[in-house]
């Protein structure tokens, strides 16, 4: 499903050059629970952004479903993401002028074949699963940090994408709520064959992962295959 | 140092009334490591905002150093915070147009008795402690989530405040970096008698706390005294 060939990412800020990713090679199969771990600043978010077509590599190639996504222009990237991906951002990125309900509904508006009733059902069902039903009319600045994170998770899942990229999706959640979120994701993998790629510091998520890649200073220094795929 | 008497906080949003805090009574001594834990949405950030003079209670009184901070106007709150408090926000709240260095330096500019050399030493020392020296010329949108969090921590500590309120200060940090941050805080408590109040889901912080309050649905449902104060 995902292939990275010799991917490098370099940021230039003034006189400082940051090698955020140094020659990454990866092959990720469908229907897997993959986790990237590593120290703060090691390149996890950068890697997820490249896989998620939010950014392009400085060198090397990124393939999703055998499509080289680094060749897209901005409109093509946006269309590809809308159809195929769900993304949980490290800083949530909720739209301030939309309510919780509208934030979760938003990606569905981009898919024009979905009737209103079906859209409404999906949004409500996901809000229920993340425990945010009572808060659906509030705005992002009226909910707690962990509540924003749960809305971000719901939004990433609502289009039932084949690939979900989740950047520290449980960082602001207590134990019980974090497991609720992990369970929703496992259900989706079992029911729809969704592939989940996490960047995380949370040992609870790492514990559920089938494959764990360790990033350090922009390079993959370890990979561990943990479970048999069911 | 801190006293809360029958504190309530009610948010009104349209027709919905949220009782974020329901009659909190608290007494926190100096030089302690206090941790608030509880499910997402239970009121931790709200409580920290009240103690940190960023918000006022709907009912009840909040005393810091025997000063009733709920009576301040906005200018008085800002002045009081600048002299007495350090705050690590759940969403970091870094100033986008200032560099990492300038963000950490900022609270010192409000204290006008500090010579430039001393200011520079303090900023650099704290950046070193949180491992952000090499990044000091970057802007907030050029650093990772955990790096932003570390800058927010450094900024909260730079004025050597007698009270630090930290809202999930390790949520975005890996194990090793989180312990670095916890150690800096323990050093400050031992060296300067700083009081630390955390809102957190991180068992590492809870493990270091002397007193643990559990919040649930806006009320304190448990308090546990763990260690002897050294
Ligand atoms: N400005 C606001 N308007 C309306 N409701 C609010 C507002 N701010 C917070 N709330 C509500 O008050 C409750 C407590 O929020 P708070 O941010 O204190 O929770 P928390 O314990 O910090 O949660 P988390 O662990 O998710 O950060 C939540 O139900 C939240 O939705
Ligand atoms: N826009 C940018 N310009 C310059 N440097 C950047 C930019 N974005 C990220 N970096 C740098 O690239 C490196 C990797 O960043 P990245 O956000 O991928 O780390 P991370 O592993 O997600 O960290 P964390 O666990 O703290 O979220 C960091 O050193 C960061 O400072
Ligand atoms: Mg990151
Ligand atoms: Mg909070």
């Amino acid at each position: 499903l995902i292939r990275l060939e010799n991917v490098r990412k370099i940021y230039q800020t003034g006189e400082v050059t940051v090698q955020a990713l140094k020659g990454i090679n990866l092959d990720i199969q469908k229907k897997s629970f993959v986790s990237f771990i590593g120290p703060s600043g090691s390149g996890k978010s950068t890697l997820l952004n490249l896989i998620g077509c939010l950014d392009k590599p400085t060198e090397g190639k990124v393939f999703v479903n055998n499509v080289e996504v680094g060749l897209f222009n901005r409109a093509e990237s946006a269309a590809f993401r809308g159809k195929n991906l769900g993304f949980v951002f490290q800083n949530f990125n909720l739209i301030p002028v939309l309510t919780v309900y509208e934030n979760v509904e938003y990606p569905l508006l981009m898919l024009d074949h979905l009737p209103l009733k079906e859209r409404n059902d999906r949004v409500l069902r996901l809000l229920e699963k993340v425990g945010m039903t009572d808060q659906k009319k509030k705005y992002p600045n009226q909910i707690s940090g962990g509540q924003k994170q749960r809305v971000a998770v719901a939004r990433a899942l609502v289009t039932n994408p084949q690939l979900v990229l989740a950047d520290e999706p449980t960082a602001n959640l207590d134990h019980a709520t974090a497991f609720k979120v992990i369970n929703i994701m496992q259900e989706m993998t079992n029911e729809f064959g969704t592939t989940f790629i996490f960047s995380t510091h949370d040992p609870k998520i790492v514990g559920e992962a089938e494959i764990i890649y360790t990033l350090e200073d922009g390079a993959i220094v370890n990979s561990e295959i943990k479970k048999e795929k069911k």
Side-chain angles (χ1 to χ4, degrees), chain A:
Chain A
L1 182 63
I2 307 222
R3 195 166 74 255
L4 270 68
E5 291 177 2
N6 233 329
V7 165
R8 294 180 187 281
K9 183 66 187 176
I10 299 176
Y11 293 109
Q12 193 84 41
T13 61
E15 349 71 57
V16 174
T17 298
V18 179
Q19 284 220 21
L21 294 174
K22 305 168 181 166
I24 304 282
N25 289 293
L26 264 184
D27 216 317
I28 299 178
Q29 305 303 322
K30 285 197 185 192
K31 211 189 166 196
S32 27
F33 239 58
V34 176
S35 179
F36 288 94
I37 60 177
S40 169
S42 53
K44 303 180 295 298
S45 296
T46 303
L47 185 51
L48 251 61
N49 289 345
L50 291 184
I51 298 174
C53 313
L54 289 162
D55 198 3
K56 295 195 207 300
T58 313
E59 283 179 40
K61 301 183 181 184
V62 179
F63 296 91
V64 178
N65 264 343
N66 290 321
V67 178
E68 192 183 339
V69 293
L71 302 178
F72 285 156
N73 62 35
R74 290 192 54 152
E76 290 165 330
S77 295
F80 187 84
R81 286 198 306 273
K83 286 210 201 72
N84 299 298
L85 309 176
F87 209 111
V88 185
F89 293 90
Q90 190 164 3
N91 63 353
F92 323 139
N93 271 350
L94 300 182
I95 302 173
V97 298
L98 298 184
T99 62
V100 162
Y101 179 97
E102 291 164 343
N103 261 286
V104 177
E105 181 193 39
Y106 189 75
L108 293 177
L109 301 179
M110 311 284 121
L111 309 179
D112 36 36
H113 54 260
L114 212 61
L116 175 62
K117 167 142 196 357
E118 161 74 354
R119 214 164 66 211
N120 186 255
D121 286 350
R122 272 207 212 182
V123 174
L124 292 180
R125 188 159 27 95
L126 268 164
L127 285 176
E128 182 63 24
K129 292 206 168 201
V130 297
M132 287 297 293
T133 307
D134 300 341
Q135 320 272 341
K136 64 180 189 270
K137 291 218 172 106
K138 284 181 160 187
Y139 288 89
N141 66 353
Q142 295 170 333
I143 56 179
S144 77
Q147 291 172 334
K148 289 185 189 112
Q149 188 148 46
R150 288 184 265 160
V151 175
V153 168
R155 177 180 64 179
L157 305 182
V158 75
T159 54
N160 228 337
Q162 61 171 322
L163 172 62
V164 175
L165 298 153
D167 202 342
E168 308 215 28
T170 57
N172 284 274
L173 301 178
D174 57 282
H175 211 71
T177 313
F179 269 116
K180 240 184 184 170
V181 165
I182 294 171
N183 286 336
I184 299 168
M185 295 175 167
Q186 286 171 326
E187 278 181 19
M188 284 186 65
T189 299
N190 294 334
E191 193 177 344
F192 303 109
T194 318
T195 305
F196 282 91
I197 301 185
F198 301 95
S199 143
T200 186
H201 298 300
D202 187 348
K204 302 193 277 298
I205 291 194
V206 179
E208 301 297 319
E210 297 160 343
I211 307 176
I212 302 166
Y213 292 102
T214 305
L215 267 179
E216 219 172 281
D217 219 14
I220 295 183
V221 299
N222 189 35
S223 70
E224 184 185 334
I225 301 190
K226 281 185 65 186
K227 298 192 198 173
E228 275 310 307
K229 287 223 201 90
K230 311 189 224 357

